[in-house]
Amino acid sequence: RAGLLVGSPLAVSFGLRGLARAFVGLPGWQNDLDTAREVAAQTDPLSHALVLCYRYAAAVAIGVLHADETALRDTEEALRVVQTSADDIAVGYGRLSLGIVLLQSDSPADRARGVELLRRGREMSGTRPFSAADSPIIDAGLGYERARHGDYDGALNMLRDTVDGLANEGLLVGWGIACTNLLVECLV
């Protein structure tokens, strides 16, 4: 059944449950994320983009999944599909997912493209109906990339500010875990 905000609340629910299970180390999280991807692939662009954001942007950022060829293929395809949908929220999540995946690449060109996608997603969060609640993971991803370019002070300040902001708002669950993980990776 179609939902009020997304075409497949079932797919989104599987994605959220998979992510929650991954956060606390419970078994079954991968199956939930796989099921979410399969269900969402047959539905609307927003459900598809959200599920892939849970699967790749979040799970890669917290370190439970790797940004492999499947992640790249899935997120490239999702962004291609959502860009033709005229759904700004779906486009934002498509950019976020592919951007996070590309930041994990060894290729400087891929990482530069990832930064550009995240910057474009960040711009959307302030001017269009893309969720401003997702700005912290975008900022953390951009900070992480700054560290890879040798700007450790700038990166750590950006990451610390992002995590502090989430902590001050009581939002360390969710993106807070992913942002904290990126901060710790930059510290080690």
Side-chain angles (χ1 to χ4, degrees), residues 32-173:
D32 283 346
L33 292 178
D34 290 343
T35 300
R37 182 180 58 187
E38 291 166 15
V39 172
Q42 309 302 317
T43 64
D44 65 301
L46 180 55
S47 296
H48 191 202
L50 267 173
V51 163
L52 290 185
C53 188
Y54 301 150
R55 180 180 184 83
Y56 295 116
V60 166
I62 66 170
V64 296
L65 283 181
H66 297 288
D68 58 12
E69 288 300 315
T70 301
L72 183 60
R73 183 185 64 243
D74 285 354
T75 54
E76 285 273 11
E77 173 66 11
L79 182 57
R80 187 187 64 74
V81 168
V82 299
Q83 284 179 323
T84 63
S85 74
D87 184 335
D88 284 346
I89 297 171
V91 170
Y93 283 116
R95 287 177 179 165
L96 171 58
S97 299
L98 180 56
I100 293 292
V101 167
L102 287 170
L103 287 185
Q104 304 304 312
S105 173
D106 291 330
S107 162
D110 285 348
R111 290 194 316 273
R113 182 170 171 231
V115 165
E116 180 58 27
L117 287 167
L118 291 179
R119 283 192 178 129
R120 290 176 67 196
R122 182 68 167 96
E123 290 167 8
M124 290 177 72
S125 71
T127 61
R128 295 191 188 140
F130 177 57
S131 175
D134 298 304
S135 296
I137 190 61
I138 293 171
D139 292 343
L142 293 172
Y144 181 79
E145 186 59 17
R146 284 177 81 169
R148 289 182 81 164
H149 283 279
D151 181 7
Y152 298 108
D153 289 339
L156 290 174
N157 285 334
M158 189 174 194
L159 286 159
R160 219 177 285 126
D161 289 347
T162 299
V163 172
D164 284 348
L166 288 165
N168 290 337
E169 294 178 30
L171 299 173
L172 280 178
V173 174

